[in-house]
Amino acid sequence: MAGKSNKGRGKRGSHNASNSSNPTETAVLSDVPVKDNIENASESAKPEATDVSAADESTVADSVVKEQESAQKQGDLQLYPVSVKTQSGEKLELQLNPGDSVMDIRQFLLDAPETCFITCYDLLLHTKDGSTHHLEDYNEISEVADITTGGCSLEMVPALYDDRSIRAHVRRTRELLSLSALHASLSTSLALQNEMLQNKAASSDNLKTEIPELDGLGYMEDVSGSLGNLLSSPQKDIKCLESIVFSSLNPPPSYRRLVGDLIYLDVVTLEGNKYCITGNTKMFYVNSSTGNTLDPRPSKASSEATTLVALLQKISPKFKKALREILERRAAAHPFENVMSLLPPNMWLGSFPVPDHKRDSARAEDALTLLYGSEPIGMQRDWNEELQSCREFPHTNPQERILRDRALYKVTSDFVDAAINGAIGVISGCIPPINPTDPECFHMYVHNNIFFSFAVDADLEQLPKTRAEANSKTCSTGTLHCSVEKSSDSLPCGGVNGAKDDSSSSEVLTNGVDITQDILPETQLAENEQATYASANNDLKGTKAYQEADVSGLYNLAMAIIDYRGHRVVAQSVLPGILQGDKSDSLLYGSVDNGKKICWNEDFHSKVLEAAKRLHLKEHSVLDGSGNVFKLAAPVECKGIVGGDDRHYLLDLLRVTPRDANYTGPGSRSCILRQELITAFCQARAAETSKSKETSPQGADTAADSQNVTDDKQQDLPKEEVSEEVKELTAASAEVSDSYEEIVFNPNVFTEFKLAGSPEEIAADEDNVRKVSLYLTDIVLPKFIQDLCTLEVSPMDGQTLTEALHAHGINVRYIGKVAEGTKHLPHLWDLCCNEIVTRSAKHIIKDVLRDTEDHDLAPAISHFLNCLFGSCHAPGGKLTANSTHSKPPKREHSGHQSSGKHSRGQARWKGKASSRKSLPPFMNMSSETLWSDIREFSLVKYKFELPEDARSQVKKISVLRNLCQKVGITIAARKHDLNSTTPFQTSDILDLRPVVKHSVPVCSEAKELVETGKLQLAEGMLSEAYTLFSEAFSILQQVTGPMHREVANCCRYLAMVLYHAGDLGGAILQQHKELIINERCLGLDHPDTAHSYGNMALFYHGLNQTELALRHMSRALLLLSLSSGPDHPDVAATFINVAMMYQDIGKMNTALRYLQEALKKNERLLGEEHIQTAVCYHALAIAFNCMGAFKLSHQHEKKTYDILVKQLGEDDSRTRDSQNWMETFKKREIQMNAQKQKGQSMNAASAQKAIDILKANPDLMQAFQAAAIAGGSGSSGMATNRSLNAAMIGETLPRGRGVDERAARAAAEVRKKAAARGLLVRPHGVPVQALPPLTQLLNIINSSGVTPDAVDNKDGDGAKKEANGLPPNDPTDAQSNQSTQPVQEANAPVGLGKGLASLDSKKQKSKVKAGA
């Protein structure tokens, strides 16, 4: 809802525009969501689209600008102005849509500075005809009156307070008086600083401030030292009051309650006066109490007001002034910086030195009411009922779908939030269990209508045998399945949410594995060591899959997994009726005793079958223990239950995809394939069958490729094939869809369940699963490894590597294979090794934390980190004791392990009773034992043998960052000497936070729009792409609000489209939004955030704000050094971009330093013959060319040419381009030598003359610059100077993972398509513009003696254009560049603007890169 509020604030949008450097660009475009009738918008775009193909160059930009305007009009058509009269009589105007609910209006008013402190009011709607309507919160405006006719107004009427609303009012007031909720992005402050500097410069009339050199290289050399630079110093809070607290006179005595007193507050103002304030049902006033006695009489008649803020303004002038400052500061921030982020990421670094902890009685009051996530007053939320009723919302048209998605998103997010708080309470032991008589590891908890259970391994032999047999628990982890009562008849299935307590049976079911008496306990232990964590994960994945299948009438529970302090807690909404035990026959489908007895129901089966079709599961027959045959379409151990609300619930979805046939040994029961792989496999097979129908059998290749079309990054095909491949697939989709549906898998093969059906059928089912498992190892993995090597996929850190693996359908257990395949590329080998070490260390530290008492947590974590990164020895030769710590599930160890190892989670329970006199267990760990455990774990889990020198070779900062993020640790952001023996002190450990996995739904509709938009962008259809991305952005704004990763994606693509259309100001606006969202939703140092800073820098550079651009680049390099470390090709690519910027401002020495660093990196990481290395050589050639060292240029370009010939062949356009460059440099070298002999004093003199004239007349110079900037706006109506060296930004977008490369390739694609249609698109998509006056001046000066260089330069450029497939039609290119670098021309040959050279190098680089 907050997301929609932006549209109601046209006036607040205006400050956005001022941040961008072009005042004419309106912020409304981005802030007004384009509403549902976007169809009209796309209609209006159609005629323009046809123009694009026929018109001249400027039309592309024009059409997008028109597109923006039409989108804007679309939005405006839907929004109607309604005036609001506030309680104080002020008027303000809101832009409302008839579909807005009254809750939305309240949210808009809460965001408006005039009304943000009013919380308790009724809304009256006055219509044109004089009638008045009282608005209820859940009404839509259209239900009450028609605001489209105009003449409507709203009035805010004070309502009466009650206990709940008055406390909410006080809390809201406190929130307003603090700026802690404002998350200022570094980018915003950089832009503001830059603006101030520019204003200063303008007032003091000096020509140009010197751009300082930034220390980007330093970050790479000393990564540990740069930790302190990541966090910006916290904002200075503005103080409004000394204190405001609930008075100790509360609660009001009964005789005062009866006259309306609700609350007493003690306030100390900045002036030092103390007041006691009474809040009653109507208002707040200052009473006459002094000292310790209540005197309820009002002290002065004037001191009363309906809101607390209004009263404080009356009694304290300093408060009034400070409040104004706070509201101004909030208004100056970007709107996205004010929005709350629902599930913010854990920050692994905390400020150092640690800020002082100051008294804050308000904070203390909140903390002392230990609620663990439940509401302070009023009833608890029934999460399950809310979730299921949202799911039952109608969803036939787009508006209904948006409302439904939004409700689901809101409920699920709130549930996850409450689950985290509840889990902390459970793990801290503050919430009592519902089954206190059972062993503690089986305890279950219900708090705030959420069910919590530990995902523990049932090490049953640790419990006394008699006890174990008496209880015979079904401890099916990951779900709430331990029985509550001994007698199984008191509960529907003897358990919570459908777990069965089969007390008579002699088997103990652990984790869904049927362990009969003759199986050794060691085997059981080995199987369970990891399986519990995995099965909880699998259950969450299964639940997500069924939610996405979205079959009406089939329901799932809300679910979240919380890892905290070494424990894994599973939180689920409570199944209706399960705790009352009112239905004995509620299990209708599936089995609770591992297939001995299977239930089946026709109605239930039809629903499960419908879901199975969408999930590619096969309907198949299984036998139960008595030999009866049942037809199931789901895994045997799932449970279909009818809840007390008569809804059909499906639980325990541990195996929604089949077992991985490559992992069938003991302990691999929970190794299942990923849903993405199944989808990719089915599409590949379907494409294969359709192709074999049409053409000769080429299907095998398609099988390898077509899977990638579904990949959400869509970056796996060579650029030329993307669109064709997609076209073919869509064309064939009609017949494909049938065959696509037909590919189904039996989820119960390779399990212990008995399958019915003929042996042939079972063999075929098994063969099907084997095929998809082989497809994973033989096609998907090699393709993925190849993409990594060609930098098609370029993960930066553990998290992005995991995401890339998952997007391709590869499980992380295959990471060892990926590491083996990328051994020859150091950065990938390091990345995989680091991830394996981190994951192994994570499992070990979880065991350590689980066995650690509260008071030992910080010492235990710092000791563990010291063992990992330093070298610690165990005290007094107790090395062997470490076997009590986590050992990987290796069968040979399980024998001695089971006797010595505490039951997971039992140590914590035991420790409370007996205080330990000996050393705490974590002290027995030493570096040697820890590293041998890590080696062993990686061997068993990832089938990967860590190299001998792994301990010294791991990238320590990357591993530290990754481990802290995975475990939830926050450490002090100071320089840690990771080479010392003990790098960490106990005081460095600042926090331990829960880490969450959840199933918050995504908006599928917006996702589809973005996918289509990407294809349009690749086709060069800019206006269509713009419409699609804007629509996706608008839908997501309404569903998730702005703080969401998908919204950031839309903003990035919108920035791309605007950039290609030549609208740099608009691009910066969108890019800035993406940057803020990434910082808030992904974390300050996430690779995506680094790429956002890089893109911002390139856009700013395009607007000639090079200093601002370099500051952003500096930040990008700092973030890259933390996430990927200095050794990564992306760092080298960023270095090249920084070099270009320095080159364009004439700092050639710095530029060369960066280029040489980039070259060294690429040669070391990728090899001397990689295309990226050729890119570096080419950039160096261009740089030397700018310095007039043509001989060196020629030598470096020769190296580029040799590499390209070897990699691409002589006929490739890029190779030919390189050849042209060589010839040009050669010519220039010959000419220069010829000039030397002729005596080039005349030329030098004329060049000097130009420079002298400009130096002598700075004012003239400024006038020309201003004219150039104003004159350059051309046809798109934007007052920004799109000079040529702004040109290449899009193409040199930093080579990020996924989408950024696709965009770079899309840019090349745009040009190609346009050229094919005969469209004259400039290489950078900027319309042709008139010659700026400054160039004319230079021409006049130089006309006395035009040098051969200048002429040749134009020819070279023409040749370049022809090589690009563009006619050499624009001779202004050569000169117009000089307009941007008038003064620093001195050291380049006359007539050769550096801008041109850098531009061409960028072109060249991006072309080479696009094919990389």
Side-chain angles (χ1 to χ4, degrees):
M1 295 172 198
K4 285 175 77 178
S5 66
N6 284 341
K7 72 166 181 237
R9 298 186 297 205
K11 52 189 181 333
R12 296 221 19 217
S14 59
H15 65 262
N16 280 4
S18 65
N19 281 355
S20 89
S21 45
N22 46 328
T24 53
E25 156 70 12
T26 41
V28 184
L29 156 70
S30 47
D31 279 343
V32 177
V34 184
K35 291 297 245 188
D36 321 317
N37 63 345
I38 200 84
E39 287 82 22
N40 311 357
S42 50
E43 288 299 311
S44 67
K46 277 177 191 158
E48 280 153 30
T50 51
D51 296 350
V52 173
S53 56
D56 72 337
E57 299 166 8
S58 59
T59 323
V60 179
D62 269 351
S63 66
V64 174
V65 173
K66 281 182 199 156
E67 186 57 51
Q68 294 172 18
E69 286 159 10
S70 70
Q72 211 166 307
K73 282 183 196 130
Q74 284 303 329
D76 292 344
L77 286 176
Q78 286 293 303
L79 296 176
Y80 303 93
V82 176
S83 68
V84 181
K85 186 180 174 192
T86 66
Q87 296 183 2
S88 56
E90 281 183 80
K91 284 268 175 91
L92 71 139
E93 193 168 274
L94 290 183
Q95 302 286 330
L96 297 181
N97 173 287
D100 285 334
S101 71
V102 178
M103 294 286 271
D104 291 337
I105 300 177
R106 287 185 180 275
Q107 184 63 52
F108 303 154
L109 291 169
L110 209 54
D111 288 337
E114 300 89 338
T115 52
C116 57
F117 48 84
I118 306 173
T119 61
C120 192
Y121 56 90
D122 289 327
L123 278 172
L124 300 179
L125 180 67
H126 304 291
T127 52
K128 210 186 221 169
D129 55 11
S131 61
T132 302
H133 305 272
H134 182 268
L135 297 180
E136 293 295 332
D137 274 359
Y138 292 96
N139 283 356
E140 277 192 9
I141 306 173
S142 52
E143 294 168 16
V144 183
D146 183 13
I147 58 168
T148 56
T149 54
C152 293
S153 67
L154 286 167
E155 187 183 354
M156 297 168 75
V157 186
L160 294 178
Y161 289 105
D162 57 26
D163 271 322
R164 186 186 173 102
S165 59
I166 202 161
R167 287 180 195 211
H169 183 81
V170 173
R171 185 180 286 123
R172 170 68 183 164
T173 305
R174 282 175 176 166
E175 271 173 20
L176 271 180
L177 302 185
S178 160
L179 282 172
S180 58
L182 188 68
H183 300 268
S185 164
L186 178 75
S187 177
T188 317
S189 47
L190 285 177
L192 291 171
Q193 278 171 13
N194 190 58
E195 209 170 303
M196 282 158 56
L197 285 173
Q198 282 184 338
N199 295 343
K200 267 188 200 164
S203 57
S204 61
D205 287 345
N206 60 348
L207 176 64
K208 179 81 178 133
T209 50
E210 180 65 15
I211 293 181
E213 200 166 302
L214 297 169
D215 181 27
L217 293 169
Y219 292 142
M220 293 300 161
E221 283 148 23
D222 177 18
V223 179
S224 171
S226 56
L227 289 181
N229 299 330
L230 176 66
L231 305 174
S232 46
S233 50
Q235 282 201 317
K236 193 135 175 52
D237 227 343
I238 298 170
K239 207 170 186 188
C240 298
L241 291 168
E242 285 299 331
S243 74
I244 173 168
V245 291
F246 289 112
S247 167
S248 46
L249 294 168
N250 284 314
S254 52
Y255 59 89
R256 289 303 304 167
R257 284 287 315 201
L258 298 175
V259 290
D261 286 9
L262 297 172
I263 205 166
Y264 302 123
L265 299 167
D266 285 334
V267 172
V268 182
T269 62
L270 291 177
E271 289 87 353
N273 303 327
K274 294 182 179 174
Y275 297 99
C276 184
I277 293 176
T278 299
N280 64 18
T281 51
K282 291 182 178 169
M283 62 185 172
F284 293 87
Y285 65 84
V286 178
N287 62 35
S288 308
S289 307
T290 50
N292 294 333
T293 328
L294 173 70
D295 181 350
R297 294 168 306 167
S299 67
K300 284 209 293 279
S302 65
S303 299
E304 61 177 49
T306 50
T307 65
L308 190 50
V309 167
L311 175 62
L312 291 170
Q313 282 179 320
K314 284 182 183 176
I315 59 177
S316 165
K318 284 187 178 174
F319 173 85
K320 196 170 184 174
K321 180 171 174 254
L323 180 71
R324 192 181 312 119
E325 273 183 49
I326 281 187
L327 291 176
E328 279 169 7
R329 177 90 66 87
R330 280 179 188 274
H334 191 283
F336 284 8
E337 294 175 344
N338 278 313
V339 184
M340 283 298 293
S341 168
L342 274 171
L343 298 166
N346 289 337
M347 193 55 220
W348 67 283
L349 288 174
S351 2
F352 182 83
V354 180
D356 297 330
H357 189 65
K358 302 231 168 75
R359 287 178 185 278
D360 179 349
S361 28
R363 183 188 62 222
E365 278 162 11
D366 286 344
L368 289 172
T369 49
L370 276 171
L371 296 164
Y372 292 108
S374 48
E375 297 277 322
I377 307 178
M379 57 182 280
Q380 293 188 330
R381 290 173 69 170
D382 184 342
W383 299 108
N384 194 65
E385 185 51 46
E386 281 188 43
L387 182 73
Q388 312 311 349
S389 28
C390 289
R391 209 162 271 162
E392 286 162 355
F393 279 10
H395 47 106
T396 47
N397 62 33
Q399 189 55 39
E400 282 179 350
R401 281 198 291 276
I402 287 175
L403 283 171
R404 177 177 186 251
D405 285 349
R406 171 167 153 189
L408 279 169
Y409 180 78
K410 184 82 179 76
V411 172
T412 324
S413 303
D414 289 353
F415 168 80
V416 173
D417 206 35
I420 294 171
N421 288 317
I424 293 175
V426 165
I427 291 169
S428 313
C430 302
I431 293 170
I434 54 176
N435 53 338
T437 55
D438 288 347
E440 289 197 69
C441 65
F442 295 141
H443 278 178
M444 290 166 300
Y445 307 80
V446 174
H447 172 72
N448 193 10
N449 276 330
I450 301 176
F451 188 98
F452 297 96
S453 58
F454 282 101
V456 291
D457 292 318
D459 289 352
L460 291 167
E461 68 277 38
Q462 292 286 48
L463 307 171
K465 268 280 179 263
T466 51
R467 181 92 189 251
E469 276 159 23
N471 281 317
S472 277
K473 286 288 160 253
T474 321
C475 191
S476 174
T477 48
T479 33
L480 354 147
H481 304 330
C482 299
S483 68
V484 185
E485 309 276 340
K486 290 277 190 327
S487 59
S488 51
D489 48 55
S490 64
L491 280 177
C493 299
V496 175
N497 286 8
K500 174 105 177 197
D501 182 10
D502 192 356
S503 305
S504 60
S505 123
S506 59
E507 278 96 340
V508 178
L509 295 176
T510 313
N511 197 34
V513 182
D514 193 352
I515 298 165
T516 40
Q517 295 300 347
D518 56 340
I519 295 184
L520 293 171
E522 293 92 88
T523 323
Q524 171 194 339
L525 239 171
E527 292 243 338
N528 287 329
E529 182 73 32
Q530 284 234 289
T532 45
Y533 271 40
S535 58
N537 267 344
N538 290 348
D539 196 8
L540 182 65
K541 280 184 222 153
T543 307
K544 261 187 188 167
Y546 272 90
Q547 277 172 1
E548 281 166 21
D550 203 9
V551 173
S552 67
L554 194 60
Y555 298 89
N556 303 101
L557 301 174
M559 180 174 178
I561 298 173
I562 296 99
D563 288 320
Y564 180 54
R565 286 181 51 174
H567 295 275
R568 172 160 279 192
V569 168
V570 179
Q572 283 173 304
S573 54
V574 178
L575 191 77
I578 208 78
L579 294 172
Q580 289 76 39
D582 55 354
K583 286 198 159 196
S584 50
D585 58 344
S586 61
L587 181 77
L588 293 187
Y589 198 78
S591 163
V592 290
D593 50 9
N594 245 31
K596 282 194 199 54
K597 177 170 180 288
I598 295 177
C599 301
W600 194 85
N601 167 290
E602 177 63 50
D603 186 27
F604 217 117
H605 182 66
S606 63
K607 289 172 183 164
V608 175
L609 194 57
E610 179 55 37
K613 278 183 193 155
R614 298 176 196 185
L615 296 170
H616 301 288
L617 293 180
K618 179 181 174 178
E619 185 183 25
H620 58 282
S621 312
V622 290
L623 297 166
D624 69 359
S626 324
N628 305 320
V629 177
F630 293 95
K631 259 195 161 359
L632 292 180
V636 175
E637 72 270 36
C638 76
K639 296 163 188 56
I641 295 178
V642 173
D645 53 0
D646 283 334
R647 291 188 178 106
H648 287 169
Y649 291 90
L650 196 60
L651 319 173
D652 264 14
L653 303 165
L654 306 179
R655 290 188 298 107
V656 174
T657 47
R659 279 278 299 266
D660 184 345
N662 304 321
Y663 281 77
T664 48
S668 56
R669 186 176 192 282
S670 49
C671 295
I672 58 173
L673 298 168
R674 290 191 65 85
Q675 195 69 50
E676 296 93 332
L677 179 76
I678 301 290
T679 314
F681 178 73
C682 295
Q683 291 188 332
R685 290 287 293 273
E688 218 173 292
T689 46
S690 71
K691 277 214 169 164
S692 57
K693 281 179 196 168
E694 297 162 26
T695 58
S696 60
Q698 298 166 333
D701 314 330
T702 325
D705 285 346
S706 60
Q707 141 233 355
N708 305 309
V709 178
T710 62
D711 191 11
D712 69 346
K713 295 194 171 65
Q714 283 214 327
Q715 66 210 26
D716 307 306
L717 297 176
K719 60 180 184 215
E720 296 83 5
E721 286 169 30
V722 174
S723 42
E724 282 78 1
E725 189 68 47
V726 173
K727 272 188 196 158
E728 281 170 30
L729 275 183
T730 41
S733 62
E735 58 220 74
V736 166
S737 57
D738 314 334
S739 51
Y740 178 73
E741 290 288 317
E742 287 161 19
I743 304 172
V744 286
F745 300 96
N746 179 343
N748 293 317
V749 294
F750 300 122
T751 60
E752 69 279 13
F753 304 117
K754 303 181 186 72
L755 297 174
S758 64
E760 294 79 38
E761 190 188 345
I762 297 173
D765 286 351
E766 288 186 353
D767 191 44
N768 238 348
V769 173
R770 276 200 195 92
K771 268 186 198 154
V772 73
S773 303
L774 277 175
Y775 176 73
L776 171 59
T777 48
D778 296 355
I779 291 178
V780 178
L781 257 175
K783 178 82 176 78
F784 180 70
I785 290 171
Q786 182 196 339
D787 287 346
L788 284 175
C789 297
T790 57
L791 302 185
E792 281 284 318
V793 183
S794 179
M796 309 285 297
D797 63 349
Q799 188 185 344
T800 45
L801 175 65
T802 308
E803 281 167 12
L805 283 165
H806 286 171
H808 286 74
I810 304 169
N811 308 72
V812 177
R813 61 176 169 271
Y814 286 98
I815 191 170
K817 290 219 169 40
V818 176
E820 296 297 340
T822 53
K823 220 168 184 166
H824 59 291
L825 293 178
H827 70 283
L828 293 170
W829 170 253
D830 285 347
L831 185 61
C832 294
C833 289
N834 291 349
E835 181 66 3
I836 290 172
V837 168
T838 308
R839 284 172 177 268
S840 308
K842 175 186 78 171
H843 285 281
I844 299 168
I845 195 174
K846 279 185 171 175
D847 281 2
V848 172
L849 290 175
R850 203 179 305 117
D851 295 349
T852 302
E853 295 300 327
D854 290 15
H855 54 266
D856 277 337
L857 281 170
I861 295 170
S862 60
H863 179 74
F864 181 90
L865 294 176
N866 285 335
C867 289
L868 189 61
F869 298 111
S871 59
C872 289
H873 301 291
K878 286 192 184 171
L879 290 184
T880 51
N882 191 49
S883 62
T884 59
H885 278 294
S886 159
K887 279 286 181 199
K890 202 166 187 184
R891 290 186 63 178
E892 48 271 36
H893 293 284
S894 45
H896 67 257
Q897 201 177 325
S898 56
S899 54
K901 178 179 179 294
H902 285 306
S903 154
R904 302 245 251 186
Q906 300 262 336
R908 176 183 150 236
W909 324 119
K910 281 202 218 164
K912 297 208 169 143
S914 61
S915 60
R916 300 177 185 163
K917 296 180 179 62
S918 61
L919 276 175
F922 69 81
M923 288 305 293
N924 295 330
M925 176 181 285
S926 70
S927 297
E928 277 67 33
T929 52
L930 172 60
W931 275 95
S932 74
D933 279 4
I934 288 176
R935 281 206 165 78
E936 215 167 315
F937 191 96
S938 63
L939 194 60
V940 174
K941 179 84 195 300
Y942 302 112
K943 308 269 187 289
F944 180 74
E945 193 162 341
L946 281 172
E948 283 306 305
D949 57 353
R951 184 173 159 189
S952 55
Q953 288 304 309
V954 290
K955 298 273 178 289
K956 293 189 175 181
I957 290 284
S958 303
V959 172
L960 175 65
R961 169 180 177 269
N962 203 344
L963 183 68
C964 288
Q965 286 172 336
K966 282 182 165 61
V967 185
I969 301 168
T970 305
I971 59 170
R974 66 176 181 83
K975 179 171 180 174
H976 299 281
D977 178 10
L978 294 178
N979 296 322
S980 64
T981 49
T982 53
F984 297 93
Q985 272 79 50
T986 305
S987 57
D988 287 329
I989 311 300
L990 303 182
D991 199 0
L992 185 58
R993 313 261 328 133
V995 178
V996 197
K997 293 184 172 180
H998 52 70
S999 60
V1000 177
V1002 287
C1003 177
S1004 50
E1005 198 153 326
K1007 245 185 164 167
E1008 284 161 21
L1009 285 168
V1010 171
E1011 287 304 317
T1012 325
K1014 287 200 270 191
L1015 295 178
Q1016 299 281 18
L1017 183 60
E1019 290 284 307
M1021 313 272 195
L1022 292 187
S1023 36
E1024 290 84 341
Y1026 186 86
T1027 312
L1028 289 162
F1029 292 138
S1030 305
E1031 191 180 344
F1033 178 78
S1034 144
I1035 291 175
L1036 283 165
Q1037 275 265 56
Q1038 295 172 63
V1039 171
T1040 63
M1043 283 300 128
H1044 195 278
R1045 201 173 176 173
E1046 296 292 321
V1047 181
N1049 257 342
C1050 288
C1051 292
R1052 174 172 54 229
Y1053 285 123
L1054 281 167
M1056 297 275 172
V1057 175
L1058 289 170
Y1059 162 71
H1060 286 308
D1063 177 356
L1064 283 173
I1068 285 178
L1069 257 162
Q1070 296 293 353
Q1071 188 60 48
H1072 189 202
K1073 285 185 198 170
E1074 191 225 359
L1075 193 150
I1076 294 172
I1077 301 171
N1078 280 342
E1079 284 196 332
R1080 301 276 308 280
C1081 293
L1082 300 176
L1084 290 177
D1085 58 347
H1086 190 279
D1088 283 5
T1089 314
H1091 288 307
S1092 300
Y1093 272 102
N1095 289 3
M1096 275 300 265
L1098 290 161
F1099 292 169
Y1100 274 129
H1101 180 56
L1103 286 175
N1104 284 337
Q1105 302 198 5
T1106 308
E1107 182 174 357
L1108 195 50
L1110 284 168
R1111 289 191 188 285
H1112 278 77
M1113 271 303 188
S1114 172
R1115 177 73 175 178
L1117 283 172
L1118 165 67
L1119 301 185
L1120 289 176
S1121 73
L1122 289 178
S1123 58
S1124 67
D1127 294 332
H1128 196 281
D1130 280 32
V1131 176
T1134 311
F1135 276 178
I1136 296 180
N1137 287 333
V1138 176
M1140 294 303 162
M1141 290 176 190
Y1142 278 120
Q1143 191 173 309
D1144 283 0
I1145 55 169
K1147 292 202 166 182
M1148 295 309 297
N1149 293 344
T1150 314
L1152 283 175
R1153 217 172 66 233
Y1154 274 96
L1155 286 174
Q1156 276 151 356
E1157 277 299 314
L1159 179 63
K1160 269 189 235 161
K1161 268 196 199 328
N1162 277 340
E1163 284 188 336
R1164 189 173 73 249
L1165 298 175
L1166 303 170
E1168 296 191 359
E1169 294 186 342
H1170 196 279
I1171 288 192
Q1172 285 301 99
T1173 313
V1175 170
C1176 291
Y1177 277 122
H1178 178 71
L1180 276 163
I1182 297 295
F1184 286 127
N1185 174 46
C1186 292
M1187 297 168 77
F1190 298 126
K1191 189 167 187 176
L1192 285 170
S1193 293
H1194 184 264
Q1195 286 168 4
H1196 282 80
E1197 192 58 50
K1198 176 82 173 76
K1199 287 184 180 167
T1200 309
Y1201 177 72
D1202 293 344
I1203 296 173
L1204 291 178
V1205 167
K1206 191 158 190 181
Q1207 299 290 346
L1208 305 168
E1210 290 191 10
D1211 298 337
D1212 193 276
S1213 63
R1214 289 159 290 184
T1215 317
R1216 290 203 302 273
D1217 286 347
S1218 179
Q1219 197 174 1
N1220 291 339
W1221 274 107
M1222 273 182 1
E1223 288 162 12
T1224 309
F1225 293 145
K1226 194 75 188 151
K1227 268 191 211 163
R1228 288 182 189 171
E1229 192 187 337
I1230 294 165
Q1231 280 174 345
M1232 198 165 82
N1233 294 341
Q1235 267 184 325
K1236 274 180 188 162
Q1237 290 156 11
K1238 283 183 188 172
Q1240 75 232 98
S1241 53
M1242 183 180 89
N1243 296 328
S1246 72
Q1248 197 54 47
K1249 190 164 115 197
I1251 291 156
D1252 290 346
I1253 290 177
L1254 291 174
K1255 278 186 179 164
N1257 301 296
D1259 49 341
L1260 176 74
M1261 163 88 195
Q1262 272 181 315
F1264 273 124
Q1265 267 181 323
I1269 287 168
S1273 58
S1275 54
S1276 65
M1278 291 215 11
T1280 55
N1281 171 19
R1282 293 200 196 80
S1283 61
L1284 270 182
N1285 63 341
M1288 276 314 309
I1289 294 160
E1291 293 198 349
T1292 26
L1293 279 171
R1295 294 193 42 80
R1297 299 172 335 285
V1299 287
D1300 282 343
E1301 288 122 47
R1302 258 192 61 75
R1305 285 215 301 279
E1309 215 42 47
V1310 171
R1311 283 174 200 64
K1312 227 193 252 162
K1313 294 275 178 346
R1317 292 199 296 247
L1319 231 184
L1320 304 179
V1321 180
R1322 284 284 280 284
H1324 43 294
V1326 175
V1328 181
Q1329 58 199 44
L1331 227 72
L1334 183 59
T1335 315
Q1336 295 164 7
L1337 167 79
L1338 286 171
N1339 288 353
I1340 295 162
I1341 296 170
N1342 281 339
S1343 58
S1344 54
V1346 178
T1347 61
D1349 270 69
V1351 181
D1352 167 60
N1353 173 26
K1354 294 180 192 176
D1355 300 343
D1357 194 48
K1360 178 79 193 71
K1361 287 204 165 167
E1362 279 173 343
N1364 267 338
L1366 294 164
N1369 63 330
D1370 185 16
T1372 60
D1373 276 17
Q1375 299 140 335
S1376 59
N1377 264 284
Q1378 296 174 331
S1379 65
T1380 56
Q1381 278 95 16
V1383 180
Q1384 297 103 342
E1385 294 296 275
N1387 53 3
V1390 184
L1392 175 66
K1394 283 187 201 61
L1396 167 73
S1398 67
L1399 160 67
D1400 279 335
S1401 72
K1402 288 180 186 175
K1403 262 185 216 166
Q1404 191 65 5
K1405 163 174 173 277
S1406 68
K1407 289 194 69 167
V1408 175
K1409 193 178 279 183

